[in-house]
Amino acid sequence: MKFTTHFTFFSFILLSYIVQNLFLYPIESSLRSDEHTAIVSLLYLPHGMKVLYGIMLGPMSAGYIFLAQYVSFGWFFGFSTENLIGSILGCVSIILPIILLNASAKKDVFSAPVNYQMIKINVVWTLITLSLFTALLDSYLHMKLYFDVVDIDVFTYFIIGDFCGAIAIFMLFLFVYRPIMNKILLRK
């Protein structure tokens, strides 16, 4: 792949973190009154981008996910060892389910789960399955890292926000991004 392609993948996922922190968190904080507004979102777009990248690129998406998460968390919360570990856990929570999904389908474990030339699996089913599995794993790992006690309310918020973010990103990709790119690139 060209450098511009790598940069584009990195930019889109970084943009999701920026939109989340600068726009969605403040909006949710003004609308919600629970004590968890500062740490969880009911629509976490970066998780949706991570799942979408995992489906499209497979384990190769780990570099983009790690770098975007590390840079954005460093930018908004400060660069630290905890940030580094959190970024690694964010990658593991996406890549491990993809490897397991590929292995269960008897595919190359390092390939993308969806092959657009030979689609043999349902993309929506793959998205939902990966979204739920990765939301559970990501939420659990980050709860263990950032909080002393696993609070079931916060855990639930994490899962809901991650899953809703994945569905929202998939809808944006399907109904906004893809038609625009088809018009630009394919002139359809």
Side-chain angles (χ1 to χ4, degrees), residues 15-27 75-76:
L15 180 64
S16 72
Y17 281 104
I18 293 169
V19 167
Q20 187 70 42
N21 284 297
L22 294 182
F23 299 106
L24 290 180
Y25 274 138
I27 290 170
W75 183 13
F76 289 107

Side-chain angles (χ1 to χ4, degrees), residues 6 8 24 32 34 40 54 65 80 84 87 91 94 141 148 156 158 160 162 174 186:
H6 291 296
T8 302
L24 290 180
R32 287 177 31 210
D34 61 89
V40 294
I65 292 169
S80 66
L84 177 67
S87 299
C91 281
I94 297 295
L141 292 175
D148 292 334
T156 304
F158 269 130
I160 291 169
D162 285 356
L174 200 60
L186 304 176

Side-chain angles (χ1 to χ4, degrees), residues 5-164:
T5 305
H6 291 296
F7 184 74
T8 302
F9 278 124
F10 169 73
S11 297
F12 273 117
I13 195 163
L14 182 63
L15 180 64
S16 72
Y17 281 104
I18 293 169
V19 167
Q20 187 70 42
N21 284 297
L22 294 182
F23 299 106
L24 290 180
Y25 274 138
I27 290 170
E28 275 195 62
S29 293
S30 67
L31 297 175
R32 287 177 31 210
S33 60
D34 61 89
E35 69 270 13
H36 307 301
T37 56
I39 56 174
V40 294
S41 174
L42 293 176
L43 180 67
Y44 193 63
L45 296 180
H47 184 77
M49 288 299 294
K50 293 190 302 186
V51 171
L52 183 65
Y53 277 23
I55 288 172
M56 290 173 30
L57 305 171
M60 184 180 108
S61 63
Y64 307 116
I65 292 169
F66 171 79
L67 193 57
Q69 189 166 340
Y70 185 70
V71 168
S72 66
F73 281 21
W75 183 13
F76 289 107
F77 308 112
F79 292 97
S80 66
T81 304
E82 192 174 54
N83 175 16
L84 177 67
I85 294 168
S87 299
I88 292 169
L89 293 177
C91 281
V92 167
S93 66
I94 297 295
I95 302 309
L96 181 63
I98 290 168
I99 289 172
L100 293 173
L101 178 69
N102 285 340
S104 69
K106 297 180 180 166
K107 294 176 62 178
D108 176 17
V109 293
F110 295 108
S111 67
V114 176
N115 180 343
Y116 294 103
Q117 287 138 0
M118 296 175 42
I119 294 183
K120 292 182 180 178
I121 60 172
N122 186 320
V123 176
V124 175
W125 180 249
T126 303
L127 174 91
I128 290 171
T129 304
L130 278 176
S131 296
L132 286 174
F133 189 35
T134 58
L136 285 167
L137 187 56
D138 192 52
S139 299
Y140 178 76
L141 292 175
H142 282 97
M143 287 292 296
K144 287 299 218 178
L145 176 66
Y146 294 118
F147 304 103
D148 292 334
V149 178
V150 174
D151 181 350
I152 195 67
D153 290 338
V154 175
F155 186 66
T156 304
Y157 276 114
F158 269 130
I159 293 169
I160 291 169
D162 285 356
F163 184 71
C164 289

